[in-house]
Amino acid sequence: MPRSDRPRYTSTPLDRTFVPARSIAVLGPITGVTADAVREVLTAARSASPTSRIALDPRADQRIWSYRDDIAGGVAVTERPDLPTDDLGELMNRIRERDGARLPVEVILCGDYTVVDYSHGVGDGQFGILLVGVAAGDPDGTLSPTLAPALPADATRRALWRHYRENPRAVRDLRRVRADHARPDTADDGVPTRTVDNWAKTKTCRAEFMTPEVSAALEAWAREHAPGATAASVTVALVNAALRAEQVALDDHVMILFNCRRYLAEADRTGHGNFAIGIPVRVGAGATPGLVATVMKDVIDSGWPLAVLGASEARSALTRHRIASVADDTGTVTVPDRLRLAVSDLGNLTGLYRHLEFADDGRPAQMTATLEPDGPDGITVLVSRLNKGRTLAATFCADMIDPNVVTRALRRACLDPVALLRHGE
């Protein structure tokens, strides 16, 4: 096909913003995964469509992107049996710090663990969750094509129209909810500051596992003592409480990640792209699962996440799609000496990975991932549920907070989450 006839993709502002950020997802232990099998998966995914999302070549400084042909060649699939797998947080650190340039999508096989490392410009967490599962095994060849579909080009417009047409009062609710959670101009008055140099260099990750027995006890407690709570609201309240129990200074606003596909018609929700957005809500030190659930419902019903996406695309159109400069993470930054917490609950992934056979040797089945903070004062925590256990992973700047403190907080949450949440009743 002549170069001029090749399909092109018009990136969204969110796509371009996230290009420099790398997402890493880990799944295992699964025996028998081979590099050749992964290459077949990637090739099948690329062949499923001329505009396969997995084949995008994302560029932060370009609005129109091309599609790559050979996404399974080169170093797209590598084997690193030398990397440690007994600590998934350290495994993700070693993957991030490895030498060499990065392709938009890469798969690294580390013994019994499958790792994907991809540019966030290609897709958000939904893409990574699916990609790592398909790379780890596609026994009948039916899953590879699911890595190809992209969100509709007018996904934001469709979602806005659908939500506010069905919920006309949501416009009024949006103004109220945003006002309720507005950040005062004086929020940082009196807060000490800290200066960090080249903060991206000290990004690190820690991960801990909650056993199925402890996870079941947490769910039983929530059913009895937190009426109206959701799994996601329990996650937010638990992480908030665990960090505060270790005397970590946190901002009263927590960034909660919302997948905006919930606003799309069912047929459009499987498309890949960047359609998840963080909303900062005020929850404070005493956030209970029930309180967080109420806040999250208010945010969802008001359409606030959609409004953010719509405003971003409108600004891009008004500036005639001028490309914003890429942020410099290597300079010196002065920030308030407290952390901004962001939390994402990836949900129960057991059904998504039902096609896989995990090793039956006492090691827990786990899927976990990194989500890079947007500054040195950010700490992001992802929680996933798989085969009745949970994995908590935190990514942060080691120059802002001692990694040992984060480890203690995650372990506290995994060993006795009920005690943390009961303390906040």
Side-chain angles (χ1 to χ4, degrees):
M1 180 183 295
R3 183 171 298 274
S4 59
D5 294 336
R6 292 184 177 181
R8 312 277 276 178
Y9 169 72
T10 302
S11 63
T12 69
L14 210 57
D15 289 334
R16 296 190 292 275
T17 296
F18 286 141
V19 167
R22 301 293 297 191
S23 293
I24 299 171
V26 182
L27 179 65
I30 303 166
T31 58
V33 184
T34 67
D36 285 343
V38 175
R39 291 190 183 97
E40 289 179 6
V41 164
L42 295 179
T43 300
R46 176 64 182 98
S47 303
S49 168
T51 57
S52 184
R53 183 80 193 192
I54 196 174
L56 273 179
D57 189 10
R59 308 281 175 156
D61 59 349
Q62 297 178 17
R63 179 170 160 262
I64 306 298
W65 296 351
S66 61
Y67 293 88
R68 299 182 301 131
D69 290 327
D70 181 15
I71 66 171
V75 294
V77 184
T78 55
E79 297 181 86
R80 291 294 308 271
D82 57 303
L83 295 180
T85 57
D86 55 335
D87 181 336
L88 297 190
E90 180 59 23
L91 175 60
M92 290 188 287
N93 284 333
R94 296 284 292 275
I95 293 293
R96 180 195 294 113
E97 296 164 0
R98 72 193 191 281
D99 295 332
R102 301 287 187 270
L103 293 174
V105 176
E106 297 185 18
V107 181
I108 305 97
L109 302 182
C110 305
D112 295 343
Y113 292 81
T114 301
V115 184
V116 297
D117 178 356
Y118 63 98
S119 166
H120 202 323
V122 176
D124 52 28
Q126 181 164 303
F127 176 76
I129 289 170
L130 182 61
L131 172 60
V132 73
V134 177
D138 184 11
D140 58 7
T142 61
L143 297 177
S144 300
T146 63
L147 296 168
L151 287 163
D154 58 347
T156 300
R157 183 191 64 79
R158 290 192 195 190
L160 284 165
W161 172 255
R162 186 168 183 267
H163 181 68
Y164 289 109
R165 181 191 60 191
E166 296 178 359
N167 308 277
R169 294 176 56 182
V171 175
R172 182 192 63 190
D173 293 339
L174 173 61
R175 290 193 292 266
R176 173 184 58 79
V177 175
R178 291 185 64 175
D180 288 346
H181 295 279
R183 183 178 178 81
D185 294 335
T186 58
D188 292 330
D189 288 359
V191 177
T193 59
R194 180 179 297 196
T195 299
V196 181
D197 183 51
N198 194 9
W199 71 271
K201 189 176 181 180
T202 68
K203 279 187 290 190
T204 188
C205 182
R206 294 294 183 272
E208 294 291 332
F209 179 69
M210 182 188 297
T211 66
E213 295 77 17
V214 174
S215 183
L218 173 60
E219 293 171 5
W221 178 88
R223 285 193 298 270
E224 182 176 355
H225 298 278
T230 64
S233 71
V234 170
T235 290
V236 174
L238 176 61
V239 172
N240 185 54
L243 288 167
R244 291 181 184 274
E246 291 295 332
Q247 308 305 311
V248 177
L250 291 178
D251 190 283
D252 281 344
H253 281 73
V254 173
M255 185 81 74
I256 301 178
L257 279 293
F258 293 89
N259 187 343
C260 291
R261 290 169 180 81
R262 71 180 73 241
Y263 299 106
L264 290 169
E266 188 71 32
D268 293 333
R269 293 178 186 175
T270 57
H272 299 300
N274 283 290
F275 215 56
I277 200 77
I279 299 295
V281 296
R282 186 188 296 113
V283 297
T288 64
L291 170 66
V292 176
T294 298
V295 168
M296 293 181 69
K297 185 177 186 304
D298 283 348
V299 169
I300 292 169
D301 290 349
S302 72
W304 188 356
L306 277 181
V308 173
L309 287 176
S312 173
E313 295 189 9
R315 283 193 299 271
S316 178
L318 288 172
T319 56
R320 297 186 180 182
H321 307 290
R322 185 170 61 243
I323 305 298
S325 58
V326 178
D328 180 12
D329 293 341
T330 63
T332 300
V333 182
T334 299
V335 294
D337 193 10
R338 53 96 186 97
L339 293 179
R340 295 176 294 108
L341 173 62
V343 182
S344 176
D345 188 312
L346 300 179
N348 187 348
L349 307 176
T350 303
L352 185 63
Y353 301 142
R354 61 182 176 272
H355 64 290
L356 299 173
E357 292 188 14
F358 292 90
D360 185 15
D361 57 7
R363 290 177 293 172
Q366 295 186 77
M367 181 276 164
T368 191
T370 61
L371 178 63
E372 295 192 357
D374 60 359
D377 55 335
I379 178 169
T380 61
V381 179
L382 274 73
V383 179
S384 57
R385 285 163 280 154
L386 179 59
N387 291 6
K388 301 182 179 180
R390 302 182 192 221
T391 304
L392 283 66
T395 310
F396 55 95
C397 172
D399 277 351
M400 279 292 295
I401 182 172
D402 184 346
N404 292 325
V405 174
V406 176
T407 295
R408 289 200 302 269
L410 295 180
R411 285 180 179 169
R412 185 189 287 258
C414 290
L415 290 173
D416 199 349
V418 171
L420 283 168
L421 295 176
R422 184 184 293 128
H423 182 73
E425 286 184 290

